[in-house]
Amino acid sequence: MIEKTIKGIWALLIGLSVTVKFFFTRPVTMKYPEEKREPYLRYRGSHILRLDEKGKEKCVACCLCATVCPAQVITIEAGEGNEHEKYPVTFEIDMGKCIFCGYCVEACPKAAIIMSQSYELAEYRREDLSYDKERLIKTGK
Ligand code: SF4
Ligand code: SF4
């Protein structure tokens, strides 16, 4: 009986020592949103539509990204410019359904679409999760 009690107290003390040890060490949690974690280098956040050095859209509306997208969340309406070049009149990504696989980035022949490291994507309204062309360009600025 006494032996069992001693074993119980010993186990309790071991447990308490672990608690006390972690009480004085640096916490693993962060005080978000005051403190923000630096994303890993290969983290895939929201998309960016890139511009070239002249400030023109790099996208040529080839729709390869929309074709490979497994979630089918990219909608592009192609148009023709003054010099018969193709460009996206509209370019939308439904971020609420995107699975952040990065296939669109891999498929793009013009490196016109990349993924940012932005992870604060929550919205109050579902329709706000649909990113249009202007918003996708602005994310990169
Ligand atoms: S990251 Fe994947 S799911 Fe999201 S838009 Fe690109 S291809 Fe589609
Ligand atoms: S982002 Fe790239 S793959 Fe998608 S339509 Fe534009 S040029 Fe084509």
Side-chain angles (χ1 to χ4, degrees), residues 59-79:
C59 175
V60 291
C62 66
C63 294
L64 273 176
C65 53
T67 307
V68 297
C69 176
Q72 297 286 288
V73 296
I74 306 179
T75 314
I76 302 165
E77 193 191 320

Side-chain angles (χ1 to χ4, degrees), residues 75-133:
T75 314
I76 302 165
E77 193 191 320
E80 203 173 284
N82 296 335
E83 288 153 24
H84 303 294
E85 78 283 9
K86 274 179 82 184
Y87 76 99
V89 180
T90 60
F91 193 114
E92 270 182 30
I93 301 181
D94 185 349
M95 221 57 90
K97 292 183 187 160
C98 173
I99 54 169
F100 298 90
C101 61
Y103 283 3
C104 50
V105 176
E106 280 180 41
C108 182
K110 295 283 175 186
I113 189 165
I114 54 169
M115 294 175 97
S116 70
Q117 296 214 308
S118 169
Y119 56 85
E120 292 177 314
L121 310 176
E123 297 285 357
Y124 286 105
R125 298 176 329 147
R126 183 159 186 81
E127 50 268 37
D128 291 339
L129 286 168
S130 185
Y131 286 31
D132 63 10
K133 190 170 84 171

